[in-house]
Amino acid sequence: METNDPLDPIPLVWTDDPLDVYRELRENHPLHYVEDRDLFVLSRYEDILAAIKDSKTWSSASGVVPSGFKPDKPTVITIDPPDHTQMRHAVNRAFTPRRIEVLSTRIRSMARELTRAMPKEGPADAFHAFTDPLPLYVMAELLGVDREQRSMFKRCGDAIVYATETDPETLLSAQTELTDYLAVVFEERRRAPKEDLISLLLTESPEGAALSEDDLLGLCFLLLVAGTETTTSGLGNALLLLDRYRDARERIIDDPSLLKTAVDEVLRFDAPVQGLSRVATRDVELYGRAIPKGARVHLLFAAANRDPGVFADPDRFDIERTPNPHLSFGFGVHFCLGASLARMELRLGLEEFLRHAPAYVVADGVERLKSDTNRGFARLPVVI
Ligand code: HEM
């Protein structure tokens, strides 16, 4: 729904520069109400942090996007503590540093394969050729999807990630196809476990109980939605920023170890998930204003990431910024399960891209994705 409110943060997600409005919100309207959307908006770092830490007052159970959309079956991101604690514990064991590290060789070789296949003549669409497929292929690898099924997985994954609101028929048939496929994989892994997430979470181990097939299916779908397009946006934002800040690019090319801090600065500077929401479980008063029980409050991580009370010179792109307590992965109990994996994908993906195309230039025709929350791309033409 379009509104006439110039401080409505949602359309800003796909504009060129939402920062003036974020500043205006932070400085003069720290608790803003968008009437047409019936949505309260918080933009100051300390307010957002306080809200995320207090999941008793600010619940995720009614969905975490402004539209209130949530999967039919609750999954880790839409469950509040104490049930969340148990579920999170069960899935954490698939994301240990050792398990993530094992993927690094594969991530690098997939990034290399994709960048080497990009055409050298004329602009190539880096979104289709690189930033979109890489996280989906990594997800396929993590889940243990067979190589021959990777194009089916990519087709269904893309439909699930991008067609939620625009094309319900495509979405439904992709969901059915993937559910049928995963049912077969579950059966196979039960009989002959492998070294993948599905095998691990289907079986009990000293580190934790097994997940039911239903919960595991819900998790696979959540991972697709939470873990692919977000990383795709991060890669795209990085390519755009390193096009704008050439000196930063040169320094990274000379010393790729700078990518460790540069990746977090990219995430702070242009957050892939600009904000997520919560619903009040009781009447709350904030800045002298009543927020009634049941009201939805949007937490603008991207505005908090530029809060001068927390970040010195917040509008400076500083690839060595330390510490960098940005909120782009959220905070507290729902802190991103895939943060280490995402950081690794960004680091290795960018290293391979810059190795192959150190002098790339972003061409005309960049198109942003239309989403309530994610600052992503539909097209990202580059000349390499
Ligand atoms: C740059 C990439 C990514 C960004 C910016 C991102 C951002 C976020 C944010 C902001 C949250 C907090 C949600 C909330 O508080 O309601 C979150 C949670 C989550 N993320 Fe990520 N994410 C990224 C990549 C990934 C990846 C690669 C995976 C999995 C492979 C993943 C899986 C999840 C899951 C399962 C949750 C829910 C955790 C819970 O509720 O306990 N994310 N992510």
Side-chain angles (χ1 to χ4, degrees):
M1 188 213 304
E2 295 290 325
T3 76
N4 294 320
D5 185 341
L7 300 181
D8 178 352
I10 294 171
L12 294 173
V13 171
W14 59 84
T15 57
D16 278 346
D17 193 1
L19 293 173
D20 287 344
V21 175
Y22 290 170
R23 185 176 306 114
E24 173 64 15
L25 283 168
R26 230 175 21 236
E27 287 177 1
N28 299 318
H29 311 269
L31 176 65
H32 180 62
Y33 179 61
V34 183
E35 196 168 335
D36 305 6
R37 292 191 205 274
D38 192 14
L39 187 72
F40 287 90
V41 180
L42 289 176
S43 47
R44 290 186 179 166
Y45 191 95
E46 61 179 330
D47 292 337
I48 293 179
L49 198 61
I52 323 187
K53 282 179 172 172
D54 180 4
S55 53
K56 253 198 173 123
T57 305
W58 303 107
S59 167
S60 296
S62 303
V64 295
V65 291
S67 67
F69 174 84
K70 61 179 176 131
D72 299 336
K73 206 183 127 28
T75 171
V76 67
I77 203 166
T78 54
I79 299 177
D80 291 324
D83 292 352
H84 172 269
T85 317
Q86 214 178 345
M87 176 62 106
R88 177 77 188 223
H89 183 74
V91 298
N92 269 346
R93 65 192 170 115
F95 286 85
T96 59
R98 192 184 61 79
R99 292 205 157 263
I100 300 307
E101 195 48 46
V102 165
L103 283 172
S104 68
T105 318
R106 287 293 301 137
I107 295 176
R108 191 183 283 286
S109 81
M110 289 188 284
R112 193 168 292 169
E113 216 175 282
L114 289 167
T115 48
R116 300 312 178 266
M118 285 176 75
K120 284 257 183 203
E121 289 87 35
D125 185 354
F127 171 78
H128 281 114
F130 176 61
T131 64
D132 182 46
L134 182 62
L136 254 157
Y137 291 169
V138 173
M139 189 61 71
E141 198 82 17
L142 179 76
L143 296 181
V145 170
D146 292 336
R147 290 223 112 207
E148 313 81 72
Q149 298 295 338
R150 205 165 74 168
S151 61
M152 174 285 294
F153 185 77
K154 166 103 177 61
R155 180 170 45 75
C156 291
D158 274 345
I160 289 160
V161 171
Y162 297 109
T164 311
E165 278 164 30
T166 51
D167 188 352
E169 255 174 53
T170 307
L171 173 68
L172 194 68
S173 76
Q175 278 174 335
T176 311
E177 190 174 348
L178 200 55
T179 304
D180 291 348
Y181 169 70
L182 288 172
V184 175
V185 177
F186 290 176
E187 183 56 38
E188 284 173 3
R189 296 296 185 275
R190 264 194 202 293
R191 272 191 282 112
K194 290 190 180 175
E195 274 294 304
D196 55 42
L197 178 142
I198 289 176
S199 306
L200 180 78
L201 294 184
L202 272 178
T203 43
E204 202 178 304
S205 80
E207 295 97 61
L211 246 57
S212 72
E213 289 207 2
D214 217 23
D215 283 344
L216 186 55
L217 188 65
L219 179 70
C220 291
F221 276 94
L222 172 65
L223 291 177
L224 259 175
V225 175
T228 58
E229 203 268 316
T230 45
T231 313
T232 292
S233 305
L235 283 167
N237 287 335
L239 293 183
L240 218 54
L241 285 167
L242 296 180
D243 183 60
R244 197 188 316 155
Y245 297 99
R246 298 287 170 97
D247 54 327
R249 187 200 303 190
E250 291 309 322
R251 288 174 57 213
I252 291 171
I253 290 170
D254 285 348
D255 178 6
S257 75
L258 284 175
L259 275 168
K260 253 198 147 86
T261 44
V263 156
D264 274 284
E265 183 65 345
V266 165
L267 293 170
R268 180 189 75 88
F269 213 74
D270 210 353
V273 182
Q274 297 264 298
L276 289 174
S277 61
R278 299 288 191 262
V279 168
T281 58
R282 58 175 174 87
D283 293 344
V284 177
E285 200 187 299
L286 207 60
Y287 293 106
R289 192 167 181 167
I291 302 177
K293 179 178 173 179
R296 186 169 288 276
V297 177
H298 194 55
L299 312 173
L300 261 185
F301 304 141
N305 285 347
R306 300 292 187 114
D307 193 324
V310 176
F311 300 97
D313 205 355
D315 295 330
R316 197 166 88 85
F317 182 62
D318 174 4
I319 55 169
E320 289 186 85
R321 189 180 288 274
T322 332
N324 192 344
H326 64 75
L327 296 181
S328 299
F329 288 123
F331 191 86
V333 295
H334 291 283
F335 180 79
C336 179
L337 178 66
S340 322
L341 176 60
R343 286 186 170 117
M344 192 164 79
E345 284 183 57
L346 287 168
R347 186 164 53 79
L348 298 178
L350 290 170
E351 201 179 315
E352 286 307 318
F353 190 93
L354 290 174
R355 199 194 302 269
H356 183 63
Y360 80 92
V361 178
V362 173
D364 288 342
V366 173
E367 262 175 53
R368 285 274 181 189
L369 177 79
K370 288 214 162 183
S371 147
D372 280 1
T373 52
N374 281 19
R375 191 155 164 82
F377 296 85
R379 244 167 70 84
L380 180 53
V382 296
V383 179
I384 63 172

